[in-house]
Amino acid sequence: MSKRQLTLKQKKLVEKTIAELDSAYSQHHKKVKAFLLKALFPNGTLAPQYSQDYVLSTLQEAARILETRVAGITERQLKEALLLGLLMYFEDIGSPISVAEAREILSLSASGTQLVSEVTRMLNHTPANTSARIERIVGQAYSQELLLQVADQRDNERLLELYMLTETEDEFAAALEEEGFVGIVDSAGRRWKPDVYAMMVLRTMLRESTVAMQKEQAKSDGFDLAWISDHNVDNPCNLWENTIISLNGIDSRFPTYEEAKATLEVFHPNCQHYLNVIRDLADVPAHVIAATESKYGIRLQA
């Protein structure tokens, strides 16, 4: 299988994984929303028919089931994606290996096992965070119900009117969507929906792990250089496309992966660029040599 075929296969695998995770999140949200509307708004107005403890325990069990499902999807698909990444490395250096051989190498790779564990942990922030947010919304609903009872007992018509204007089934459902079903809120205050967050985590962590394997394997095999793929993007990444970098800092003419990433122009979260390991500069495409010479102001060809 060629490098291009392996790359496309890995890309489709990531897309399939994201779709499966999105389906898992969507099914979870649909069930949770239906349960809460039935539990808190049985007749269209806020009048809980179950205790708060029962409702919260049901939500926690639903989150646990989702976490288990997310972990299963992540472990199964990521191992396959890493396998494809390893096959791509050996394709790059002109020494293709069998899938069986790649599986054996991967089974001994600590970075592969670590990646699966780390990605699972990161993705499980989503159900955990979502569950905590929904529990707060539910808690507020029960608090509002107590206020309603007080208003009713005191026959305070004005308070009742205000309450009915602000606590409706539609508004509760909207709060679930806008405040509850949010995968994560980052340090900049941006709200990531679960599927978008999963896509970013998978792409970023898979790339990081693939690069770690490339660096490890290249160092063992005596190689150091790789060139960045070309996606014709209209963002700062295009400043690095088709240029050569050093995997382990052995060839000082080129920046390392870490140095390129530190510019914030390439290998950012969700970046889809990948590395092509170089066995010999003589085998590198002419356009890559030209782009590299232009970027660094060096001469690679005699």
Side-chain angles (χ1 to χ4, degrees):
M1 197 178 297
S2 69
K3 172 68 176 288
R4 182 174 181 278
Q5 290 173 318
L6 289 168
T7 302
L8 288 174
K9 191 170 182 180
Q10 189 186 61
K11 180 181 178 181
K12 288 181 179 179
L13 184 62
V14 171
E15 291 172 350
K16 177 184 176 184
T17 305
I18 294 168
E20 287 188 17
L21 289 169
D22 184 36
S23 176
Y25 294 135
S26 296
Q27 290 177 27
H28 169 76
H29 295 168
K30 184 177 180 179
K31 289 179 180 179
V32 166
K33 182 178 178 179
F35 166 72
L36 288 177
L37 291 180
K38 177 183 177 182
L40 303 178
F41 296 85
N43 299 310
T45 57
L46 184 60
Q49 61 177 330
Y50 302 125
S51 71
Q52 186 172 355
D53 286 344
Y54 171 75
V55 170
L56 293 180
S57 67
T58 302
L59 291 175
Q60 289 163 5
E61 176 61 15
R64 186 193 65 77
I65 292 173
L66 177 60
E67 287 177 6
T68 300
R69 188 174 177 187
V70 167
I73 293 171
T74 303
E75 181 175 2
R76 183 178 70 255
Q77 306 287 46
L78 271 184
K79 284 182 177 178
E80 186 65 21
L82 286 174
L83 181 71
L84 292 170
L86 199 56
L87 290 171
M88 281 189 270
Y89 168 83
F90 284 99
E91 191 70 34
D92 280 343
I93 64 173
S95 301
I97 61 174
S98 68
V99 172
E101 289 173 307
R103 288 192 191 282
E104 184 176 356
I105 293 173
L106 192 59
S107 68
L108 301 174
S109 171
S111 60
T113 302
Q114 183 179 354
L115 171 80
V116 173
S117 176
E118 179 65 11
V119 171
T120 301
R121 183 189 67 79
M122 293 178 72
L123 291 183
N124 272 337
H125 276 316
T126 294
N129 289 343
T130 298
S131 180
R133 290 192 180 89
I134 292 174
E135 286 179 15
R136 286 198 294 271
I137 294 172
V138 169
Q140 291 170 359
Y142 276 92
S143 296
Q144 288 294 89
E145 169 63 11
L146 289 176
L147 289 176
L148 174 60
Q149 292 176 13
V150 170
D152 190 35
Q153 290 170 1
R154 294 180 180 178
D155 197 24
N156 188 323
E157 292 184 4
R158 177 56 182 161
L159 190 56
L160 280 171
E161 288 176 6
L162 289 174
Y163 175 83
M164 295 305 294
L165 284 172
T166 58
E167 284 298 322
T168 67
E169 182 177 7
D170 288 343
E171 287 195 352
F172 181 83
L176 281 180
E177 296 295 335
E178 296 172 14
E179 303 293 335
F181 297 139
V182 175
I184 193 170
V185 179
D186 64 20
S187 58
R190 291 171 297 194
R191 296 168 179 265
W192 295 73
K193 287 296 184 182
D195 58 325
V196 178
Y197 176 66
M199 179 174 64
M200 185 272 290
V201 168
L202 284 169
R203 284 180 176 169
T204 303
M205 295 302 292
L206 180 58
R207 185 194 70 235
E208 291 294 320
S209 183
T210 299
V211 171
M213 286 196 302
Q214 288 173 322
K215 291 172 65 175
E216 181 181 344
Q217 199 68 40
K219 191 172 185 179
S220 174
D221 294 337
F223 307 128
D224 183 54
L225 303 180
W227 57 277
I228 301 172
S229 61
D230 185 349
H231 291 287
N232 296 312
V233 295
D234 186 20
N235 61 46
C237 281
N238 61 23
L239 300 175
W240 289 86
E241 290 184 335
N242 298 316
T243 58
I244 297 173
I245 64 171
S246 168
L247 290 171
N248 291 297
I250 296 173
D251 193 329
S252 60
R253 293 178 298 173
F254 309 98
T256 63
Y257 170 79
E258 288 74 17
E259 289 170 339
K261 182 180 175 183
T263 65
L264 304 181
E265 295 174 342
V266 70
F267 302 130
H268 52 78
N270 224 15
C271 179
Q272 297 186 59
H273 286 85
Y274 58 86
L275 296 177
N276 300 279
V277 179
I278 299 171
R279 182 170 192 152
D280 191 316
L281 278 175
D283 301 326
V284 176
H287 70 279
V288 172
I289 295 293
T292 301
E293 290 180 335
S294 174
K295 184 171 182 63
Y296 305 136
I298 60 176
R299 186 73 175 170
L300 298 178
Q301 296 175 322

